[in-house]
Amino acid sequence: MDRSMKRALVIYSGGLDTTVCVPLMRERGFDAISTVTIDVGQPEEDIAQATERARILGTDHHVVDAKEEFARDYCFPAIHANADYFGYPLSTSIARPLIAKKAAEMGLQLDHVAAFIHGCTGKGNDQFRIEYGLRMFAPDIPILAPVREGNLTRTWEIEYAEKVGAPIGQSKDKIWSIDENLWGRSIEGGRLEDPAFAPPEEIFQWTASLEAAPNEPQVVEIEFEGGNPVAIDGVPFGPSAVIRAANEIAGRHGVGRIDIMEDRMIGLKVRENYECPGATLLLAAHKALEALVTTHAERAFKALVDQQWADMAYKGLWWEPFMEDLNAFTGSVQRRVTGKVRLRLFKSSLQVIGRESPFALYSEAAASFDDEAVLEQSQMTGMVRIHGMESILYKRLGLNG
Ligand code: ARG
């Protein structure tokens, strides 16, 4: 290959936006097109479809299996921080930095890469997350976003794909825009954009409807070690497998449907639907265990830290020093988040019904009225007497008339 050769590396999902990028980049004069699909646990059919479409498009195609890394280094820290952005467990958000990082590595590895190409539109959060990750790890390679830069519409893309014979296999009436990974599934677009429109049953794939969910409740036990879920009902699992198992169990009971108003980074308020059964189950269990082992001051402060963490993760700023600082605190707390939590799943509801830990700060003797070993009730009299003393002094000043 000669020196003037220009290769485009398309971050490829196999969907409409990234598929039209391939012929568009050929028209722009790139001599070679590579495509890379990062596997973060989206359905296997999606990975296979991307591979098949890349073959039809005639690109140099690569698939990077990042499932285990995603589970261990992205989903687990999200559990440690009780990931919650206004009700959203950040499923799409936390996958984007890893997708960008893996694509950047591929860009540095292949010869003559003259540009990264991504399919993000100008309205979402993903453009920020993806480009930040690429600039972080491959700062010298330019980035093109043809859909955003060309103001492309879905209808234009479909017509263009048909004209140039690009494999899209979807008609104009395919209305939902879906993003999936191990940590959850996002469904947006079409009539769902109207906050008043009730989500139709057809948008759900990971969670059972109320009607289809079993008529018997199920109790499930999640075991944690240092804040990481390591076993379900006594069966040990690795990082990605534990999330998959949690998705399956909670999904069967219809747990984890989320319908929220979300404030996007560009200041756009949008309606979002998610299915995050495993995340919902694991986060509820983790929160319950953390509450058993932490002091009041730790809990109060961690709620603030968790909120900051969620904001940073939503923006995709995974490698900011502030994120490191926040992770240092959550990580320190996790050292004691070891133990078991039992939850009951039934017809879309999820209840914590029991928790235990070798690090529990709970003492039966102290909490019960029958045991005077830790504290005799009568010893409290003096402490109670000075409760609110400052406000009693303040009242004596008579300032309020
Ligand atoms: N609003 C969510 C986020 O910003 C999900 C975006 C999902 N993207 C999609 N094409 N469905 O994290």
Side-chain angles (χ1 to χ4, degrees):
M1 285 189 184
D2 69 286
R3 256 162 210 280
S4 60
M5 143 120 200
K6 272 173 39 183
R7 177 188 299 280
L9 175 57
V10 181
I11 305 170
Y12 192 58
S13 70
L16 176 65
D17 292 325
T18 54
T19 295
V20 299
C21 284
V22 174
L24 279 175
M25 290 307 106
R26 286 204 174 108
E27 285 177 17
R28 275 238 203 161
F30 285 94
D31 321 286
I33 314 271
S34 294
T35 40
V36 62
T37 301
I38 318 296
D39 182 356
V40 282
Q42 59 272 52
E44 275 166 32
E45 308 91 75
D46 288 18
I47 308 280
Q49 178 182 283
T51 303
E52 173 58 12
R53 288 184 178 174
R55 190 189 61 74
I56 297 168
L57 291 163
T59 67
D60 158 55
H61 186 61
H62 305 261
V63 179
V64 177
D65 181 355
K67 291 192 284 288
E68 221 46 48
E69 186 174 348
F70 179 53
R72 191 189 57 230
D73 298 339
Y74 294 77
C75 301
F76 280 11
I79 295 174
H80 302 167
N82 297 310
D84 178 10
Y85 182 79
F86 300 99
Y88 165 41
L90 294 158
S91 42
T92 294
S93 323
I94 61 170
R96 298 314 194 192
L98 178 58
I99 291 171
K101 182 177 171 224
K102 292 290 172 195
E105 285 167 6
M106 182 66 54
L108 296 175
Q109 202 179 304
L110 298 173
D111 289 331
H112 309 288
V113 174
F116 289 114
I117 318 296
H118 68 77
C120 299
T121 70
K123 289 202 172 171
N125 300 312
D126 290 334
Q127 51 184 334
F128 295 95
R129 301 166 179 154
I130 294 282
E131 292 196 19
Y132 161 72
L134 292 173
R135 291 198 174 93
M136 190 81 200
F137 293 102
D140 298 329
I141 302 178
I143 303 168
L144 296 174
V147 178
R148 181 184 70 206
E149 286 151 16
N151 279 315
L152 306 187
T153 64
R154 239 182 142 64
T155 316
W156 185 92
E157 289 176 40
I158 292 169
E159 280 165 14
Y160 171 76
E162 280 164 0
K163 195 180 79 195
V164 300
I168 52 166
Q170 79 199 121
S171 61
K172 281 174 205 159
D173 50 62
K174 195 198 160 201
I175 30 180
W176 319 120
S177 163
I178 291 165
D179 179 66
E180 286 173 279
N181 63 53
L182 265 183
W183 199 232
R185 180 167 181 270
S186 137
I187 315 105
E188 37 180 45
R191 288 197 66 193
L192 286 172
E193 284 170 3
D194 174 2
F197 177 72
E201 197 51 44
E202 63 161 276
I203 71 165
F204 300 109
Q205 254 173 39
W206 291 15
T207 54
S209 65
L210 280 178
E211 295 76 19
N215 291 320
E216 293 299 318
Q218 179 178 354
V219 172
V220 50
E221 183 183 83
I222 317 278
E223 186 174 344
F224 289 87
E225 246 173 57
N228 298 329
V230 294
I232 300 184
D233 289 335
V235 181
F237 287 104
S240 75
V242 81
I243 297 170
R244 262 188 210 294
N247 274 327
E248 205 269 311
I249 296 166
R252 185 162 5 109
H253 289 277
V255 165
R257 291 188 179 183
I258 298 161
D259 180 348
I260 51 164
M261 294 311 300
E262 195 170 297
D263 296 293
R264 282 199 191 148
M265 289 165 64
I266 61 168
L268 198 64
K269 196 181 275 298
V270 286
R271 192 274 190 90
E272 296 280 348
N273 277 274
Y274 300 99
E275 289 184 281
C276 301
T280 303
L281 175 62
L282 296 173
L283 288 168
H286 178 266
K287 256 189 153 164
L289 190 57
E290 220 177 54
L292 179 67
V293 302
T294 45
T295 65
H296 170 78
E298 283 178 312
R299 291 178 75 181
F301 188 66
K302 188 157 185 298
L304 305 175
V305 170
D306 289 351
Q307 202 195 341
Q308 295 293 317
W309 192 97
D311 251 47
M312 296 297 284
Y314 191 72
K315 293 178 188 156
L317 295 173
W318 201 257
W319 296 282
E320 275 247 356
F322 185 44
M323 202 58 164
E324 269 179 38
D325 303 333
L326 296 171
N327 284 326
F329 178 77
T330 58
S332 161
V333 172
Q334 297 317 297
R335 289 177 297 173
R336 284 176 285 134
V337 186
T338 291
K340 291 174 184 166
V341 180
R342 276 174 296 285
L343 307 99
R344 186 170 49 219
L345 304 143
F346 183 54
K347 295 277 185 198
S348 90
S349 85
L350 177 65
Q351 281 174 298
V352 174
I353 57 167
R355 66 286 265 166
E356 61 192 69
S357 167
F359 301 106
L361 294 181
Y362 167 80
S363 149
E364 191 176 352
S368 114
F369 288 112
D370 298 332
D371 194 325
E372 306 256 280
V374 178
L375 179 78
E376 254 176 66
Q377 285 189 62
S378 63
Q379 291 171 335
M380 289 305 297
T381 306
M383 185 170 173
V384 171
R385 191 163 179 172
I386 58 147
H387 182 61
M389 186 52 97
E390 287 177 327
S391 59
I392 291 167
L393 294 172
Y394 173 70
K395 179 161 187 283
R396 278 197 213 149
L397 295 176
L399 295 175
N400 296 324

